[in-house]
């Protein structure tokens, strides 16, 4: 913003500070700056609203609304969709974990030297196939 502001004062030949603009020009200049700021703000705000409109439209399409819907409805449907996807992901991860657990216990050869089973709680607690879902590791 400093590039938009005029210099405050300069030195005259006598050494005393003198304003480069007389009072009437200063007021006009002040008004011009205010108007320029208003225009800039309006432009930025218009771009922000346009971007929000585009994002809501994308979200509306992802939530399978065929006709334009209220923004609150779009947001609520997006929340429901995300929650459903999270639940589905969790169920699929549990299924994969159970299948891998069964595969490990069913394929492990009988060990004569080791007294611990391959599926001890300590082996389950170690970082495994699902380090991001630790509640599935200990049962």
């Amino acid at each position: 913003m400093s590039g938009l502001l005029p210099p405050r004062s300069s030195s005259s030949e006598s050494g005393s500070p003198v304003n480069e603009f007389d009072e009437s020009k200063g007021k006009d200049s002040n008004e011009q700056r205010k108007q320029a700021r208003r225009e800039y703000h309006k432009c930025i705000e218009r771009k922000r609203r346009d971007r929000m409109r585009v994002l809501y439209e994308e979200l509306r399409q992802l939530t399978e609304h065929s006709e334009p819907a209220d923004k609150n409805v779009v947001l609520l449907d997006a929340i429901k969709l995300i929650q459903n996807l999270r639940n589905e992901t969790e169920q699929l991860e549990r299924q994969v974990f159970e299948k891998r657990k069964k595969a490990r216990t069913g394929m492990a050869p009988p060990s004569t030297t080791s007294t611990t089973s391959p599926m001890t709680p300590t082996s389950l607690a170690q970082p495994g196939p699902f380090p991001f879902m630790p509640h599935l590791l200990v049962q």
Side-chain angles (χ1 to χ4, degrees):
M1 288 283 254
S2 63
L4 297 176
L5 300 175
R8 289 189 175 188
S9 65
S10 63
S11 297
S12 66
E13 296 160 358
S14 65
S16 64
V18 174
N19 194 348
E20 287 183 8
F21 303 99
D22 65 14
E23 267 186 43
S24 64
K25 287 184 181 178
K27 288 181 183 178
D28 289 341
S29 178
N30 233 3
E31 290 300 317
Q32 288 174 348
R33 278 191 298 237
K34 285 181 183 179
Q35 183 63 28
R37 277 189 238 151
R38 270 188 237 122
E39 291 299 320
Y40 177 75
H41 176 73
K42 284 172 28 179
C43 179
I44 295 298
E45 184 63 20
R46 191 176 309 117
K47 286 181 182 181
R48 185 191 70 80
R49 285 192 309 266
D50 289 344
R51 178 72 176 141
M52 288 295 291
R53 209 170 295 130
V54 168
L55 292 173
Y56 269 110
E57 180 60 26
E58 287 181 31
L59 195 56
R60 184 187 65 78
Q61 290 173 359
L62 288 172
T63 57
E64 299 176 0
H65 281 280
S66 58
E67 71 282 341
D70 179 36
K71 290 180 181 180
N72 292 328
V73 172
V74 172
L75 290 175
L76 287 171
D77 287 350
I79 289 169
K80 288 177 187 176
L81 177 65
I82 291 169
Q83 288 172 339
N84 288 339
L85 290 172
R86 282 184 178 171
N87 290 337
E88 186 179 331
T89 301
E90 192 173 302
Q91 289 173 353
L92 291 172
E93 287 171 342
R94 266 194 227 115
Q95 289 175 2
V96 169
F97 177 76
E98 290 299 320
K99 287 182 180 183
R100 286 185 179 171
K101 183 178 173 182
K102 287 179 184 177
R104 279 190 226 141
T105 57
M107 297 176 126
S111 175
T112 55
T113 57
S114 176
T115 57
T116 60
S117 77
M119 293 303 290
T120 61
T122 56
S123 67
L124 288 175
Q126 295 172 355
F130 307 106
F132 51 89
M133 298 199 65
H135 64 280
L136 294 177
L137 296 176
V138 180
Q139 298 206 2

mmCIF file of all heavy atoms in Angstrom, residues 22-65:
data_model
loop_
_atom_site.group_PDB
_atom_site.id
_atom_site.type_symbol
_atom_site.label_atom_id
_atom_site.label_comp_id
_atom_site.label_asym_id
_atom_site.label_seq_id
_atom_site.Cartn_x
_atom_site.Cartn_y
_atom_site.Cartn_z
ATOM 1 N N ASP A 22 -1.238 20.768 -1.629
ATOM 2 C CA ASP A 22 -1.989 21.686 -0.776
ATOM 3 C C ASP A 22 -3.200 20.933 -0.230
ATOM 4 O O ASP A 22 -3.477 19.800 -0.601
ATOM 5 C CB ASP A 22 -2.370 22.971 -1.519
ATOM 6 C CG ASP A 22 -3.327 22.719 -2.675
ATOM 7 O OD1 ASP A 22 -3.895 21.617 -2.739
ATOM 8 O OD2 ASP A 22 -3.496 23.624 -3.502
ATOM 9 N N GLU A 23 -3.963 21.513 0.667
ATOM 10 C CA GLU A 23 -5.033 20.799 1.350
ATOM 11 C C GLU A 23 -6.091 20.260 0.402
ATOM 12 O O GLU A 23 -6.560 19.153 0.557
ATOM 13 C CB GLU A 23 -5.692 21.711 2.393
ATOM 14 C CG GLU A 23 -5.086 21.547 3.747
ATOM 15 C CD GLU A 23 -5.839 22.352 4.786
ATOM 16 O OE1 GLU A 23 -7.080 22.347 4.764
ATOM 17 O OE2 GLU A 23 -5.166 22.976 5.597
ATOM 18 N N SER A 24 -6.473 21.009 -0.592
ATOM 19 C CA SER A 24 -7.529 20.559 -1.501
ATOM 20 C C SER A 24 -7.072 19.351 -2.310
ATOM 21 O O SER A 24 -7.826 18.415 -2.520
ATOM 22 C CB SER A 24 -7.964 21.689 -2.432
ATOM 23 O OG SER A 24 -6.884 22.076 -3.266
ATOM 24 N N LYS A 25 -5.833 19.371 -2.755
ATOM 25 C CA LYS A 25 -5.322 18.209 -3.499
ATOM 26 C C LYS A 25 -5.185 17.011 -2.573
ATOM 27 O O LYS A 25 -5.404 15.883 -2.978
ATOM 28 C CB LYS A 25 -3.979 18.538 -4.143
ATOM 29 C CG LYS A 25 -4.089 19.461 -5.323
ATOM 30 C CD LYS A 25 -2.748 19.650 -5.962
ATOM 31 C CE LYS A 25 -2.831 20.605 -7.135
ATOM 32 N NZ LYS A 25 -1.517 20.824 -7.727
ATOM 33 N N GLY A 26 -4.803 17.229 -1.320
ATOM 34 C CA GLY A 26 -4.671 16.144 -0.344
ATOM 35 C C GLY A 26 -5.994 15.448 -0.105
ATOM 36 O O GLY A 26 -6.065 14.235 -0.015
ATOM 37 N N LYS A 27 -7.082 16.225 -0.007
ATOM 38 C CA LYS A 27 -8.403 15.628 0.199
ATOM 39 C C LYS A 27 -8.816 14.818 -1.015
ATOM 40 O O LYS A 27 -9.333 13.714 -0.894
ATOM 41 C CB LYS A 27 -9.431 16.716 0.494
ATOM 42 C CG LYS A 27 -9.290 17.324 1.864
ATOM 43 C CD LYS A 27 -10.343 18.376 2.115
ATOM 44 C CE LYS A 27 -10.129 19.031 3.479
ATOM 45 N NZ LYS A 27 -11.106 20.090 3.723
ATOM 46 N N ASP A 28 -8.584 15.349 -2.204
ATOM 47 C CA ASP A 28 -8.913 14.612 -3.427
ATOM 48 C C ASP A 28 -8.096 13.331 -3.507
ATOM 49 O O ASP A 28 -8.614 12.277 -3.877
ATOM 50 C CB ASP A 28 -8.648 15.473 -4.661
ATOM 51 C CG ASP A 28 -9.656 16.611 -4.803
ATOM 52 O OD1 ASP A 28 -10.738 16.516 -4.172
ATOM 53 O OD2 ASP A 28 -9.359 17.570 -5.531
ATOM 54 N N SER A 29 -6.843 13.454 -3.176
ATOM 55 C CA SER A 29 -5.962 12.291 -3.224
ATOM 56 C C SER A 29 -6.420 11.233 -2.222
ATOM 57 O O SER A 29 -6.409 10.037 -2.518
ATOM 58 C CB SER A 29 -4.521 12.713 -2.922
ATOM 59 O OG SER A 29 -3.684 11.604 -2.912
ATOM 60 N N ASN A 30 -6.815 11.692 -1.042
ATOM 61 C CA ASN A 30 -7.323 10.774 -0.022
ATOM 62 C C ASN A 30 -8.570 10.061 -0.525
ATOM 63 O O ASN A 30 -8.709 8.843 -0.355
ATOM 64 C CB ASN A 30 -7.648 11.558 1.250
ATOM 65 C CG ASN A 30 -6.985 10.964 2.462
ATOM 66 O OD1 ASN A 30 -6.246 10.006 2.359
ATOM 67 N ND2 ASN A 30 -7.267 11.556 3.602
ATOM 68 N N GLU A 31 -9.461 10.777 -1.124
ATOM 69 C CA GLU A 31 -10.687 10.195 -1.666
ATOM 70 C C GLU A 31 -10.370 9.205 -2.787
ATOM 71 O O GLU A 31 -10.997 8.156 -2.891
ATOM 72 C CB GLU A 31 -11.636 11.290 -2.179
ATOM 73 C CG GLU A 31 -12.246 12.133 -1.084
ATOM 74 C CD GLU A 31 -13.067 11.303 -0.107
ATOM 75 O OE1 GLU A 31 -13.826 10.420 -0.548
ATOM 76 O OE2 GLU A 31 -12.923 11.520 1.113
ATOM 77 N N GLN A 32 -9.406 9.539 -3.609
ATOM 78 C CA GLN A 32 -9.009 8.639 -4.694
ATOM 79 C C GLN A 32 -8.459 7.333 -4.126
ATOM 80 O O GLN A 32 -8.749 6.248 -4.638
ATOM 81 C CB GLN A 32 -7.975 9.308 -5.595
ATOM 82 C CG GLN A 32 -8.534 10.410 -6.459
ATOM 83 C CD GLN A 32 -7.449 11.144 -7.238
ATOM 84 O OE1 GLN A 32 -6.264 10.981 -6.965
ATOM 85 N NE2 GLN A 32 -7.869 11.962 -8.185
ATOM 86 N N ARG A 33 -7.647 7.447 -3.070
ATOM 87 C CA ARG A 33 -7.099 6.229 -2.448
ATOM 88 C C ARG A 33 -8.215 5.384 -1.858
ATOM 89 O O ARG A 33 -8.233 4.158 -2.012
ATOM 90 C CB ARG A 33 -6.090 6.599 -1.359
ATOM 91 C CG ARG A 33 -4.721 6.901 -1.889
ATOM 92 C CD ARG A 33 -3.764 6.991 -0.741
ATOM 93 N NE ARG A 33 -4.172 8.102 0.136
ATOM 94 C CZ ARG A 33 -3.420 9.117 0.460
ATOM 95 N NH1 ARG A 33 -2.180 9.179 0.015
ATOM 96 N NH2 ARG A 33 -3.869 10.067 1.233
ATOM 97 N N LYS A 34 -9.154 6.029 -1.170
ATOM 98 C CA LYS A 34 -10.271 5.290 -0.589
ATOM 99 C C LYS A 34 -11.084 4.602 -1.682
ATOM 100 O O LYS A 34 -11.476 3.439 -1.539
ATOM 101 C CB LYS A 34 -11.174 6.228 0.218
ATOM 102 C CG LYS A 34 -10.588 6.639 1.547
ATOM 103 C CD LYS A 34 -11.552 7.544 2.298
ATOM 104 C CE LYS A 34 -10.951 8.021 3.605
ATOM 105 N NZ LYS A 34 -11.879 8.919 4.321
ATOM 106 N N GLN A 35 -11.327 5.309 -2.756
ATOM 107 C CA GLN A 35 -12.079 4.732 -3.866
ATOM 108 C C GLN A 35 -11.319 3.566 -4.490
ATOM 109 O O GLN A 35 -11.912 2.535 -4.810
ATOM 110 C CB GLN A 35 -12.366 5.811 -4.927
ATOM 111 C CG GLN A 35 -13.202 5.328 -6.094
ATOM 112 C CD GLN A 35 -14.587 4.899 -5.684
ATOM 113 O OE1 GLN A 35 -15.149 5.386 -4.707
ATOM 114 N NE2 GLN A 35 -15.148 3.950 -6.429
ATOM 115 N N ALA A 36 -10.002 3.710 -4.642
ATOM 116 C CA ALA A 36 -9.188 2.629 -5.206
ATOM 117 C C ALA A 36 -9.233 1.402 -4.293
ATOM 118 O O ALA A 36 -9.329 0.269 -4.773
ATOM 119 C CB ALA A 36 -7.753 3.099 -5.405
ATOM 120 N N ARG A 37 -9.169 1.622 -2.984
ATOM 121 C CA ARG A 37 -9.254 0.503 -2.037
ATOM 122 C C ARG A 37 -10.612 -0.177 -2.121
ATOM 123 O O ARG A 37 -10.689 -1.406 -2.090
ATOM 124 C CB ARG A 37 -9.005 0.992 -0.606
ATOM 125 C CG ARG A 37 -7.546 1.107 -0.281
ATOM 126 C CD ARG A 37 -7.359 1.384 1.193
ATOM 127 N NE ARG A 37 -6.613 2.639 1.272
ATOM 128 C CZ ARG A 37 -6.687 3.507 2.237
ATOM 129 N NH1 ARG A 37 -7.462 3.304 3.266
ATOM 130 N NH2 ARG A 37 -5.978 4.608 2.212
ATOM 131 N N ARG A 38 -11.688 0.628 -2.217
ATOM 132 C CA ARG A 38 -13.028 0.050 -2.349
ATOM 133 C C ARG A 38 -13.138 -0.802 -3.605
ATOM 134 O O ARG A 38 -13.680 -1.902 -3.576
ATOM 135 C CB ARG A 38 -14.082 1.159 -2.392
ATOM 136 C CG ARG A 38 -14.590 1.532 -1.037
ATOM 137 C CD ARG A 38 -15.767 2.494 -1.143
ATOM 138 N NE ARG A 38 -15.391 3.679 -0.390
ATOM 139 C CZ ARG A 38 -15.314 4.918 -0.857
ATOM 140 N NH1 ARG A 38 -15.653 5.172 -2.091
ATOM 141 N NH2 ARG A 38 -14.929 5.901 -0.097
ATOM 142 N N GLU A 39 -12.645 -0.287 -4.705
ATOM 143 C CA GLU A 39 -12.705 -1.030 -5.968
ATOM 144 C C GLU A 39 -11.897 -2.322 -5.881
ATOM 145 O O GLU A 39 -12.332 -3.369 -6.347
ATOM 146 C CB GLU A 39 -12.197 -0.163 -7.130
ATOM 147 C CG GLU A 39 -13.101 0.995 -7.474
ATOM 148 C CD GLU A 39 -14.484 0.540 -7.905
ATOM 149 O OE1 GLU A 39 -14.590 -0.474 -8.639
ATOM 150 O OE2 GLU A 39 -15.470 1.193 -7.506
ATOM 151 N N TYR A 40 -10.724 -2.238 -5.294
ATOM 152 C CA TYR A 40 -9.876 -3.427 -5.136
ATOM 153 C C TYR A 40 -10.600 -4.457 -4.268
ATOM 154 O O TYR A 40 -10.653 -5.650 -4.601
ATOM 155 C CB TYR A 40 -8.542 -3.034 -4.503
ATOM 156 C CG TYR A 40 -7.628 -4.200 -4.236
ATOM 157 C CD1 TYR A 40 -6.954 -4.824 -5.280
ATOM 158 C CD2 TYR A 40 -7.451 -4.675 -2.952
ATOM 159 C CE1 TYR A 40 -6.122 -5.902 -5.039
ATOM 160 C CE2 TYR A 40 -6.625 -5.756 -2.704
ATOM 161 C CZ TYR A 40 -5.960 -6.359 -3.738
ATOM 162 O OH TYR A 40 -5.136 -7.426 -3.498
ATOM 163 N N HIS A 41 -11.181 -4.010 -3.160
ATOM 164 C CA HIS A 41 -11.893 -4.915 -2.262
ATOM 165 C C HIS A 41 -13.089 -5.551 -2.982
ATOM 166 O O HIS A 41 -13.334 -6.750 -2.848
ATOM 167 C CB HIS A 41 -12.367 -4.159 -1.014
ATOM 168 C CG HIS A 41 -13.185 -5.009 -0.098
ATOM 169 N ND1 HIS A 41 -12.634 -5.995 0.681
ATOM 170 C CD2 HIS A 41 -14.522 -5.036 0.135
ATOM 171 C CE1 HIS A 41 -13.594 -6.593 1.358
ATOM 172 N NE2 HIS A 41 -14.750 -6.022 1.047
ATOM 173 N N LYS A 42 -13.834 -4.761 -3.741
ATOM 174 C CA LYS A 42 -14.973 -5.299 -4.486
ATOM 175 C C LYS A 42 -14.520 -6.362 -5.480
ATOM 176 O O LYS A 42 -15.175 -7.402 -5.632
ATOM 177 C CB LYS A 42 -15.711 -4.170 -5.215
ATOM 178 C CG LYS A 42 -16.570 -3.337 -4.286
ATOM 179 C CD LYS A 42 -17.202 -2.088 -4.869
ATOM 180 C CE LYS A 42 -17.518 -2.022 -6.299
ATOM 181 N NZ LYS A 42 -18.157 -0.754 -6.712
ATOM 182 N N CYS A 43 -13.413 -6.108 -6.143
ATOM 183 C CA CYS A 43 -12.890 -7.066 -7.122
ATOM 184 C C CYS A 43 -12.479 -8.370 -6.437
ATOM 185 O O CYS A 43 -12.827 -9.464 -6.901
ATOM 186 C CB CYS A 43 -11.703 -6.445 -7.857
ATOM 187 S SG CYS A 43 -10.948 -7.530 -9.067
ATOM 188 N N ILE A 44 -11.759 -8.261 -5.339
ATOM 189 C CA ILE A 44 -11.320 -9.445 -4.603
ATOM 190 C C ILE A 44 -12.528 -10.215 -4.066
ATOM 191 O O ILE A 44 -12.582 -11.447 -4.144
ATOM 192 C CB ILE A 44 -10.381 -9.035 -3.437
ATOM 193 C CG1 ILE A 44 -9.089 -8.428 -3.978
ATOM 194 C CG2 ILE A 44 -10.082 -10.198 -2.518
ATOM 195 C CD1 ILE A 44 -8.270 -9.368 -4.819
ATOM 196 N N GLU A 45 -13.490 -9.509 -3.540
ATOM 197 C CA GLU A 45 -14.689 -10.147 -2.994
ATOM 198 C C GLU A 45 -15.481 -10.843 -4.099
ATOM 199 O O GLU A 45 -15.997 -11.952 -3.914
ATOM 200 C CB GLU A 45 -15.560 -9.105 -2.284
ATOM 201 C CG GLU A 45 -16.777 -9.657 -1.611
ATOM 202 C CD GLU A 45 -16.474 -10.632 -0.483
ATOM 203 O OE1 GLU A 45 -15.349 -10.629 0.051
ATOM 204 O OE2 GLU A 45 -17.377 -11.411 -0.150
ATOM 205 N N ARG A 46 -15.576 -10.246 -5.259
ATOM 206 C CA ARG A 46 -16.278 -10.853 -6.397
ATOM 207 C C ARG A 46 -15.581 -12.155 -6.803
ATOM 208 O O ARG A 46 -16.240 -13.176 -7.049
ATOM 209 C CB ARG A 46 -16.307 -9.879 -7.576
ATOM 210 C CG ARG A 46 -17.217 -10.304 -8.699
ATOM 211 C CD ARG A 46 -17.305 -9.275 -9.820
ATOM 212 N NE ARG A 46 -17.613 -7.931 -9.337
ATOM 213 C CZ ARG A 46 -16.791 -6.877 -9.463
ATOM 214 N NH1 ARG A 46 -15.619 -7.005 -10.041
ATOM 215 N NH2 ARG A 46 -17.144 -5.689 -9.019
ATOM 216 N N LYS A 47 -14.258 -12.138 -6.841
ATOM 217 C CA LYS A 47 -13.509 -13.353 -7.193
ATOM 218 C C LYS A 47 -13.740 -14.451 -6.152
ATOM 219 O O LYS A 47 -13.888 -15.623 -6.491
ATOM 220 C CB LYS A 47 -12.016 -13.046 -7.305
ATOM 221 C CG LYS A 47 -11.655 -12.291 -8.548
ATOM 222 C CD LYS A 47 -10.162 -12.032 -8.619
ATOM 223 C CE LYS A 47 -9.789 -11.236 -9.850
ATOM 224 N NZ LYS A 47 -8.353 -10.997 -9.925
ATOM 225 N N ARG A 48 -13.759 -14.061 -4.871
ATOM 226 C CA ARG A 48 -13.987 -15.033 -3.801
ATOM 227 C C ARG A 48 -15.375 -15.661 -3.942
ATOM 228 O O ARG A 48 -15.527 -16.883 -3.851
ATOM 229 C CB ARG A 48 -13.855 -14.354 -2.434
ATOM 230 C CG ARG A 48 -13.953 -15.316 -1.258
ATOM 231 C CD ARG A 48 -14.074 -14.578 0.061
ATOM 232 N NE ARG A 48 -15.354 -13.926 0.207
ATOM 233 C CZ ARG A 48 -16.490 -14.543 0.581
ATOM 234 N NH1 ARG A 48 -16.487 -15.833 0.809
ATOM 235 N NH2 ARG A 48 -17.612 -13.877 0.695
ATOM 236 N N ARG A 49 -16.388 -14.839 -4.193
ATOM 237 C CA ARG A 49 -17.749 -15.363 -4.356
ATOM 238 C C ARG A 49 -17.856 -16.263 -5.579
ATOM 239 O O ARG A 49 -18.510 -17.312 -5.532
ATOM 240 C CB ARG A 49 -18.758 -14.214 -4.446
ATOM 241 C CG ARG A 49 -19.037 -13.544 -3.129
ATOM 242 C CD ARG A 49 -20.248 -12.621 -3.217
ATOM 243 N NE ARG A 49 -20.190 -11.689 -4.329
ATOM 244 C CZ ARG A 49 -19.720 -10.449 -4.276
ATOM 245 N NH1 ARG A 49 -19.243 -9.981 -3.139
ATOM 246 N NH2 ARG A 49 -19.713 -9.674 -5.336
ATOM 247 N N ASP A 50 -17.210 -15.888 -6.669
ATOM 248 C CA ASP A 50 -17.224 -16.726 -7.871
ATOM 249 C C ASP A 50 -16.581 -18.086 -7.588
ATOM 250 O O ASP A 50 -17.080 -19.124 -8.006
ATOM 251 C CB ASP A 50 -16.504 -16.035 -9.030
ATOM 252 C CG ASP A 50 -17.288 -14.846 -9.575
ATOM 253 O OD1 ASP A 50 -18.498 -14.728 -9.281
ATOM 254 O OD2 ASP A 50 -16.673 -14.018 -10.290
ATOM 255 N N ARG A 51 -15.473 -18.065 -6.876
ATOM 256 C CA ARG A 51 -14.771 -19.320 -6.535
ATOM 257 C C ARG A 51 -15.654 -20.198 -5.640
ATOM 258 O O ARG A 51 -15.738 -21.404 -5.843
ATOM 259 C CB ARG A 51 -13.445 -18.988 -5.847
ATOM 260 C CG ARG A 51 -12.653 -20.182 -5.418
ATOM 261 C CD ARG A 51 -12.057 -20.898 -6.597
ATOM 262 N NE ARG A 51 -11.222 -21.979 -6.106
ATOM 263 C CZ ARG A 51 -11.153 -23.156 -6.669
ATOM 264 N NH1 ARG A 51 -11.762 -23.387 -7.787
ATOM 265 N NH2 ARG A 51 -10.415 -24.085 -6.149
ATOM 266 N N MET A 52 -16.317 -19.571 -4.665
ATOM 267 C CA MET A 52 -17.216 -20.328 -3.787
ATOM 268 C C MET A 52 -18.363 -20.943 -4.595
ATOM 269 O O MET A 52 -18.759 -22.084 -4.355
ATOM 270 C CB MET A 52 -17.784 -19.419 -2.691
ATOM 271 C CG MET A 52 -16.786 -19.033 -1.627
ATOM 272 S SD MET A 52 -16.212 -20.422 -0.662
ATOM 273 C CE MET A 52 -17.685 -20.824 0.223
ATOM 274 N N ARG A 53 -18.888 -20.194 -5.550
ATOM 275 C CA ARG A 53 -19.972 -20.697 -6.394
ATOM 276 C C ARG A 53 -19.515 -21.935 -7.164
ATOM 277 O O ARG A 53 -20.238 -22.932 -7.245
ATOM 278 C CB ARG A 53 -20.410 -19.595 -7.364
ATOM 279 C CG ARG A 53 -21.836 -19.681 -7.782
ATOM 280 C CD ARG A 53 -22.287 -18.450 -8.547
ATOM 281 N NE ARG A 53 -22.241 -17.285 -7.653
ATOM 282 C CZ ARG A 53 -21.660 -16.119 -7.936
ATOM 283 N NH1 ARG A 53 -21.122 -15.900 -9.065
ATOM 284 N NH2 ARG A 53 -21.641 -15.126 -7.079
ATOM 285 N N VAL A 54 -18.325 -21.878 -7.721
ATOM 286 C CA VAL A 54 -17.786 -23.020 -8.467
ATOM 287 C C VAL A 54 -17.594 -24.222 -7.540
ATOM 288 O O VAL A 54 -17.943 -25.357 -7.893
ATOM 289 C CB VAL A 54 -16.453 -22.632 -9.154
ATOM 290 C CG1 VAL A 54 -15.726 -23.844 -9.691
ATOM 291 C CG2 VAL A 54 -16.709 -21.621 -10.262
ATOM 292 N N LEU A 55 -17.053 -23.982 -6.352
ATOM 293 C CA LEU A 55 -16.814 -25.084 -5.417
ATOM 294 C C LEU A 55 -18.120 -25.717 -4.944
ATOM 295 O O LEU A 55 -18.218 -26.943 -4.835
ATOM 296 C CB LEU A 55 -15.992 -24.591 -4.224
ATOM 297 C CG LEU A 55 -14.555 -24.198 -4.539
ATOM 298 C CD1 LEU A 55 -13.885 -23.568 -3.324
ATOM 299 C CD2 LEU A 55 -13.760 -25.381 -5.038
ATOM 300 N N TYR A 56 -19.134 -24.914 -4.684
ATOM 301 C CA TYR A 56 -20.436 -25.475 -4.307
ATOM 302 C C TYR A 56 -21.018 -26.290 -5.445
ATOM 303 O O TYR A 56 -21.623 -27.340 -5.222
ATOM 304 C CB TYR A 56 -21.417 -24.374 -3.902
ATOM 305 C CG TYR A 56 -21.395 -24.075 -2.429
ATOM 306 C CD1 TYR A 56 -20.869 -22.888 -1.954
ATOM 307 C CD2 TYR A 56 -21.906 -24.982 -1.502
ATOM 308 C CE1 TYR A 56 -20.848 -22.615 -0.595
ATOM 309 C CE2 TYR A 56 -21.885 -24.716 -0.154
ATOM 310 C CZ TYR A 56 -21.358 -23.533 0.297
ATOM 311 O OH TYR A 56 -21.331 -23.267 1.626
ATOM 312 N N GLU A 57 -20.849 -25.823 -6.658
ATOM 313 C CA GLU A 57 -21.362 -26.571 -7.809
ATOM 314 C C GLU A 57 -20.665 -27.934 -7.916
ATOM 315 O O GLU A 57 -21.306 -28.958 -8.144
ATOM 316 C CB GLU A 57 -21.176 -25.767 -9.099
ATOM 317 C CG GLU A 57 -21.683 -26.452 -10.331
ATOM 318 C CD GLU A 57 -23.168 -26.779 -10.302
ATOM 319 O OE1 GLU A 57 -23.927 -26.100 -9.600
ATOM 320 O OE2 GLU A 57 -23.551 -27.745 -10.988
ATOM 321 N N GLU A 58 -19.354 -27.952 -7.726
ATOM 322 C CA GLU A 58 -18.614 -29.227 -7.757
ATOM 323 C C GLU A 58 -19.086 -30.151 -6.643
ATOM 324 O O GLU A 58 -19.289 -31.350 -6.855
ATOM 325 C CB GLU A 58 -17.115 -28.975 -7.626
ATOM 326 C CG GLU A 58 -16.477 -28.398 -8.862
ATOM 327 C CD GLU A 58 -14.977 -28.181 -8.690
ATOM 328 O OE1 GLU A 58 -14.333 -28.948 -7.948
ATOM 329 O OE2 GLU A 58 -14.460 -27.233 -9.301
ATOM 330 N N LEU A 59 -19.269 -29.584 -5.456
ATOM 331 C CA LEU A 59 -19.730 -30.385 -4.324
ATOM 332 C C LEU A 59 -21.148 -30.899 -4.571
ATOM 333 O O LEU A 59 -21.463 -32.052 -4.252
ATOM 334 C CB LEU A 59 -19.680 -29.531 -3.060
ATOM 335 C CG LEU A 59 -19.776 -30.240 -1.720
ATOM 336 C CD1 LEU A 59 -18.691 -31.297 -1.577
ATOM 337 C CD2 LEU A 59 -19.659 -29.220 -0.599
ATOM 338 N N ARG A 60 -21.991 -30.077 -5.160
ATOM 339 C CA ARG A 60 -23.353 -30.495 -5.481
ATOM 340 C C ARG A 60 -23.339 -31.685 -6.443
ATOM 341 O O ARG A 60 -24.082 -32.651 -6.273
ATOM 342 C CB ARG A 60 -24.142 -29.333 -6.101
ATOM 343 C CG ARG A 60 -25.605 -29.670 -6.368
ATOM 344 C CD ARG A 60 -26.314 -28.571 -7.130
ATOM 345 N NE ARG A 60 -25.795 -28.384 -8.476
ATOM 346 C CZ ARG A 60 -26.075 -29.175 -9.516
ATOM 347 N NH1 ARG A 60 -26.855 -30.209 -9.364
ATOM 348 N NH2 ARG A 60 -25.576 -28.931 -10.701
ATOM 349 N N GLN A 61 -22.456 -31.622 -7.431
ATOM 350 C CA GLN A 61 -22.370 -32.723 -8.395
ATOM 351 C C GLN A 61 -21.841 -33.994 -7.740
ATOM 352 O O GLN A 61 -22.285 -35.095 -8.064
ATOM 353 C CB GLN A 61 -21.495 -32.316 -9.567
ATOM 354 C CG GLN A 61 -22.130 -31.263 -10.446
ATOM 355 C CD GLN A 61 -21.197 -30.736 -11.518
ATOM 356 O OE1 GLN A 61 -20.038 -31.141 -11.603
ATOM 357 N NE2 GLN A 61 -21.683 -29.825 -12.332
ATOM 358 N N LEU A 62 -20.903 -33.855 -6.810
ATOM 359 C CA LEU A 62 -20.365 -35.031 -6.119
ATOM 360 C C LEU A 62 -21.396 -35.683 -5.206
ATOM 361 O O LEU A 62 -21.336 -36.885 -4.963
ATOM 362 C CB LEU A 62 -19.130 -34.649 -5.301
ATOM 363 C CG LEU A 62 -17.874 -34.339 -6.100
ATOM 364 C CD1 LEU A 62 -16.787 -33.792 -5.192
ATOM 365 C CD2 LEU A 62 -17.384 -35.578 -6.831
ATOM 366 N N THR A 63 -22.325 -34.892 -4.692
ATOM 367 C CA THR A 63 -23.356 -35.443 -3.815
ATOM 368 C C THR A 63 -24.578 -35.896 -4.594
ATOM 369 O O THR A 63 -25.599 -36.217 -4.007
ATOM 370 C CB THR A 63 -23.771 -34.418 -2.731
ATOM 371 O OG1 THR A 63 -24.207 -33.234 -3.367
ATOM 372 C CG2 THR A 63 -22.631 -34.130 -1.788
ATOM 373 N N GLU A 64 -24.487 -35.893 -5.900
ATOM 374 C CA GLU A 64 -25.495 -36.437 -6.814
ATOM 375 C C GLU A 64 -26.824 -35.681 -6.785
ATOM 376 O O GLU A 64 -27.886 -36.269 -6.906
ATOM 377 C CB GLU A 64 -25.712 -37.927 -6.539
ATOM 378 C CG GLU A 64 -24.446 -38.741 -6.744
ATOM 379 C CD GLU A 64 -24.615 -40.200 -6.389
ATOM 380 O OE1 GLU A 64 -25.715 -40.609 -5.983
ATOM 381 O OE2 GLU A 64 -23.636 -40.932 -6.531
ATOM 382 N N HIS A 65 -26.763 -34.378 -6.622
ATOM 383 C CA HIS A 65 -27.965 -33.556 -6.781
ATOM 384 C C HIS A 65 -28.058 -33.193 -8.253
ATOM 385 O O HIS A 65 -27.136 -32.626 -8.817
ATOM 386 C CB HIS A 65 -27.859 -32.260 -5.957
ATOM 387 C CG HIS A 65 -28.137 -32.454 -4.517
ATOM 388 N ND1 HIS A 65 -29.412 -32.550 -4.014
ATOM 389 C CD2 HIS A 65 -27.310 -32.576 -3.459
ATOM 390 C CE1 HIS A 65 -29.349 -32.717 -2.719
ATOM 391 N NE2 HIS A 65 -28.091 -32.742 -2.351
#
